[in-house]
Amino acid sequence: MGKPITVVVIDGHTLTRYGLIRLVSADSEISIVGECGLAAEAPAQIAAALPDVVILDVVLPDADGLRLARELRDRHPALGIVVLTSHDEDDVLFRALETGVSAFVGKTAPNAEVLGAIRHAAVAAASFTATGLASALARRGQVAPRPVTTLALSPREQEVLSLLASGHSVPAIAASMFVSLSTAKTYVSRLYDKLGATNRANAIMAGLRLGLIKSELSATA
């Protein structure tokens, strides 16, 4: 066996936090290295433990969990971030997508889904996964099953759109395409202009609506 995945749990609900710790600790491939109930305590916990993954609640007693997630992503680009939520609204899911977290999981999800999200976050911190993402995008964009489009993307633009759809951040897109960060930002900006999008979610919805994305989201549906 290799090195266990190290995890810090941040949740203001004591019973939920300890339940997560018990669930994760039962898996021999995952190890809890820290836990706390407040966003204010999180930076010190993470700096001390240097975990592979942090699990945090969308709603914390002293802060917005997604705002904390954004701060953690900026400070620790390689950190896997799993967000747990008891709110299954599409808007919350899209906020998580834009924030740069690795996985978005409902608190009522099966244990296997939670553990799967941790494993995903450990190996693909820059890639987003969420059960029901494709359905949420379809509701938001009113996607037609077999749309017809005359919009043509260049091979580079199609590659960027596919990477965005699979949840890659701009730095991850740059690494995947073997280009500089500034070049990747230019590609993304041009794609947004062509699709009439202002952010990742808009671009993905436009891609689905126009038939430019077919199976990229099937793993998260």
Side-chain angles (χ1 to χ4, degrees):
M1 292 178 61
K3 174 180 173 291
I5 298 169
T6 53
V7 175
V8 166
V9 178
I10 305 168
D11 195 304
H13 297 88
T14 303
L15 289 178
T16 300
R17 187 167 73 252
Y18 289 160
L20 277 170
I21 291 171
R22 182 175 180 180
L23 165 66
V24 173
S25 297
D27 191 309
S28 61
E29 297 179 354
I30 304 174
S31 175
I32 296 293
V33 294
E35 54 93 5
C36 63
L38 298 174
E41 300 170 345
Q45 282 276 348
I46 292 168
L50 297 176
D52 299 312
V53 176
V54 60
I55 306 174
L56 59 90
D57 193 357
V58 164
V59 180
L60 295 168
D62 61 337
D64 179 341
L66 290 179
R67 182 172 297 177
L68 172 62
R70 177 74 269 173
E71 294 172 1
L72 293 176
R73 170 58 67 236
D74 291 341
R75 293 182 187 180
H76 308 282
L79 177 66
I81 303 175
V82 176
V83 170
L84 292 179
T85 180
S86 57
H87 305 280
D88 58 0
E89 295 91 344
D90 290 351
D91 286 347
V92 180
L93 189 155
F94 290 131
R95 278 190 63 209
L97 173 64
E98 289 300 319
T99 296
V101 306
S102 313
F104 183 82
V105 184
K107 287 190 173 181
T108 58
N111 291 353
E113 186 175 329
V114 177
L115 295 173
I118 294 171
R119 289 186 168 86
H120 165 85
V123 299
S127 178
F128 181 78
T129 183
T131 298
L133 175 58
S135 299
L137 286 164
R139 287 191 293 272
R140 178 66 66 87
Q142 297 180 342
V143 182
R146 288 193 173 94
V148 177
T149 177
T150 58
L151 178 64
L153 299 181
S154 70
R156 280 296 205 188
E157 290 167 344
Q158 185 64 57
E159 184 178 2
V160 170
L161 180 58
S162 296
L163 290 169
L164 286 172
S166 64
H168 285 62
S169 64
V170 176
I173 289 173
S176 178
M177 298 178 71
F178 302 101
V179 298
S180 68
L181 180 58
S182 62
T183 298
K185 288 180 178 178
T186 298
Y187 286 153
V188 171
S189 178
R190 288 176 180 171
L191 177 67
Y192 284 4
D193 287 343
K194 185 170 281 192
L195 295 176
T198 57
N199 56 42
R200 179 202 301 267
N202 290 161
I204 295 172
M205 286 186 284
L208 285 166
R209 187 170 60 251
L210 295 170
L212 300 170
I213 302 172
K214 294 180 175 63
S215 61
E216 284 85 354
L217 293 175
S218 60
T220 57

